[in-house]
Amino acid sequence: MKYVLLLLPTILFLSCNASKTDSPEKTENIEDVKIEYAQHFNLSLKDNAYFLEILDPISGKVESSHTIAPNEKHQAISLSATVVGMYAILNQQKQLKGVSSMDYVYDAKVKSLFKLGNIKEFGDETTNSIEKIISSDANTILYSGFGDEFPNQKKLEALHFTILPIYDWKEIHPLGKAEWIKVIGALTGKMDEAIAFFDKVVKEYNELLQLTESIDNRPTCLSGNLIGDIWYTPASESYVAHLMKDAGANYRYAETNGQVTLQFSIEQILKDNENTEFWINPGYNSKSKIDKFNPHIKHLKCYNNIFCYSPNMSKFWEQSAAEPHHVLSDLIHIFHPEIKGINTLYYYEKIN
């Protein structure tokens, strides 16, 4: 389901002259770009060129390496919504030549460029047309990278396309997701702006975190929803669980292990959550839809406190990865309305 946070699937890009390379020799001329939270990429700078290493999320080993030369023109097809949001933050939408689907784009400038014919739709990575890609103005494809090579990757690389998996969606820490904007900064020539934006996000996130660190009264919370016969909910080491903890809530499944999405029967959910106080990310933006697909859930206490990233779901998918401070602020306001200074919701809305 497109709008289930748990099944969230993101992007990045290089020029046609950017290529897979061996790691540069470690010399005094090489300066590492400070990476504080992200676990799945490294960046260094040598002679004004950035050297990017994408790290395999499972093994931690270097999956691919790319040199990003200065003053090169980078044109990207982005099959990840979150990186489209990062291009918008850096005001570099004109470097985008394609997106997966305009149905889920929020940014007004990207929509305008699409109407002008400067940005085209390419579908997801399993359905896009190699002929359409080859005939486009792009030289780079940014995709979410679910463990497999991009379809026709070797053919496209032989034609000087750079194919780059983006693993922001595998980051555990909310600020780790946001830090991928440094990669986009390197690719667009806007590293200073990317660092300044990220530093501001870190500052505001940590200021918000101080509001909940000493809270004793932590309400219980459930996340996710029923798809078919299975309820999908994040495990304890997930990005969502991390946010709920930072926001001062006790996530019902905080004692589970790993990052893989948990799967439960509706009977187990009902048993475990009889007295759970809040339910976030239900996958639907109205109780009528929730009642249709989860008819038993109305018997739970949390049915009276449901919050969803609506009505601007596209805004959430496109922008929230780079703006976890706004997500955290929303969740603090939801779980702890008694905390002063947070008076509005940025992404979330209560479902009545």
Side-chain angles (χ1 to χ4, degrees):
M1 171 168 297
K2 186 71 183 179
Y3 295 118
V4 182
L5 183 59
L6 308 165
L7 303 179
L8 175 71
T10 325
I11 93 181
L12 204 203
F13 80 99
L14 305 174
S15 77
C16 58
N17 291 323
S19 59
K20 294 183 180 179
T21 67
D22 295 326
S23 298
E25 294 181 10
K26 287 292 181 180
T27 72
E28 293 182 358
N29 295 326
I30 295 179
E31 178 185 353
D32 288 335
V33 176
K34 185 179 180 182
I35 306 300
E36 301 177 72
Y37 298 92
Q39 299 295 312
H40 305 312
F41 76 88
N42 294 321
L43 263 178
S44 57
L45 180 64
K46 179 184 179 182
D47 298 329
N48 295 320
Y50 285 101
F51 183 76
L52 170 66
E53 292 179 327
I54 300 297
L55 308 180
D56 183 283
I58 298 175
S59 69
K61 296 180 179 179
V62 176
E63 179 176 313
S64 62
S65 303
H66 306 266
T67 298
I68 307 170
N71 302 318
E72 294 289 346
K73 190 174 183 180
H74 307 296
Q75 309 281 17
I77 295 170
S78 166
L79 303 182
S80 164
T82 59
V83 179
V84 172
M86 292 178 185
Y87 275 90
I89 287 169
L90 298 177
N91 196 29
Q92 296 300 303
Q93 297 95 323
K94 288 185 177 180
Q95 294 196 39
L96 289 171
K97 294 301 174 183
V99 297
S100 178
S101 171
M102 288 303 299
D103 289 343
Y104 306 109
V105 168
Y106 177 77
D107 184 71
K109 190 169 183 178
V110 173
K111 291 179 179 180
S112 176
L113 290 168
F114 173 74
K115 290 180 180 179
L116 292 172
N118 297 333
I119 291 178
K120 295 180 172 59
E121 294 178 298
F122 285 85
D124 63 32
E125 56 202 63
T126 63
T127 61
N128 58 74
S129 163
I130 186 172
E131 292 81 9
K132 188 174 181 180
I133 291 173
I134 292 171
S135 63
S136 72
D137 293 329
N139 51 39
T140 303
I141 299 173
L142 312 174
Y143 73 111
S144 295
F146 293 97
D148 297 321
E149 283 193 347
F150 190 82
N152 300 300
Q153 179 163 333
K154 288 182 173 55
K155 290 182 180 179
L156 290 166
E157 287 176 338
L159 294 168
H160 306 292
F161 278 82
T162 296
I163 314 296
L164 190 58
I166 305 302
Y167 291 128
D168 70 318
W169 60 280
K170 292 291 289 183
E171 298 288 352
I172 298 174
H173 199 292
L175 292 173
K177 274 181 177 287
E179 197 159 21
W180 279 79
I181 198 169
K182 293 180 181 178
V183 176
I184 306 307
L187 296 169
T188 58
K190 296 294 181 181
M191 179 60 82
D192 289 345
E193 291 85 346
I195 290 175
F197 177 83
F198 178 71
D199 288 347
K200 179 176 180 292
V201 170
V202 171
K203 179 178 182 293
E204 294 191 21
Y205 192 97
N206 287 331
E207 287 174 351
L208 288 165
L209 189 57
Q210 291 177 10
L211 299 177
T212 63
E213 283 182 330
S214 60
I215 286 178
D216 293 324
N217 178 28
R218 292 175 174 260
T220 50
C221 181
L222 172 67
S223 181
N225 72 328
L226 193 69
I227 301 177
D229 296 326
I230 303 296
W231 186 289
Y232 295 91
T233 194
S236 63
E237 296 176 28
S238 68
Y239 160 82
V240 178
H242 197 129
L243 274 167
M244 288 188 283
K245 178 183 177 181
D246 285 356
N250 278 327
Y251 176 45
R252 181 61 185 81
Y253 299 103
E255 302 304 317
T256 58
N257 296 316
Q259 303 175 38
V260 179
T261 300
L262 304 174
Q263 301 180 26
F264 295 107
S265 66
I266 183 61
E267 290 79 14
Q268 188 66 48
I269 290 294
L270 293 173
K271 178 181 177 181
D272 292 344
N273 293 278
E274 181 179 358
N275 294 308
T276 297
E277 297 165 80
F278 290 91
W279 177 16
I280 66 168
N281 309 330
Y284 306 101
N285 58 6
S286 71
K287 281 192 174 180
S288 61
K289 292 179 181 178
I290 291 173
D291 292 344
K292 178 180 179 181
F293 293 101
N294 301 303
H296 302 292
I297 204 70
K298 65 178 61 178
H299 301 295
L300 298 183
K301 183 178 180 180
C302 64
Y303 185 77
N304 296 316
N305 288 304
I306 308 175
F307 291 83
C308 184
Y309 33 83
S310 63
N312 291 320
M313 290 187 175
S314 293
K315 175 183 176 181
F316 181 88
W317 293 119
E318 194 169 288
Q319 298 182 356
S320 66
E323 299 181 331
H325 57 308
H326 288 319
V327 182
L328 180 61
S329 176
D330 279 5
L331 294 178
I332 291 174
H333 185 52
I334 289 168
F335 299 139
H336 296 284
E338 75 279 4
I339 292 180
K340 297 179 180 180
I342 305 176
N343 302 314
T344 59
L345 293 174
Y346 189 85
Y347 283 120
Y348 278 80
E349 180 179 78
K350 186 171 184 179
I351 298 178
N352 296 309

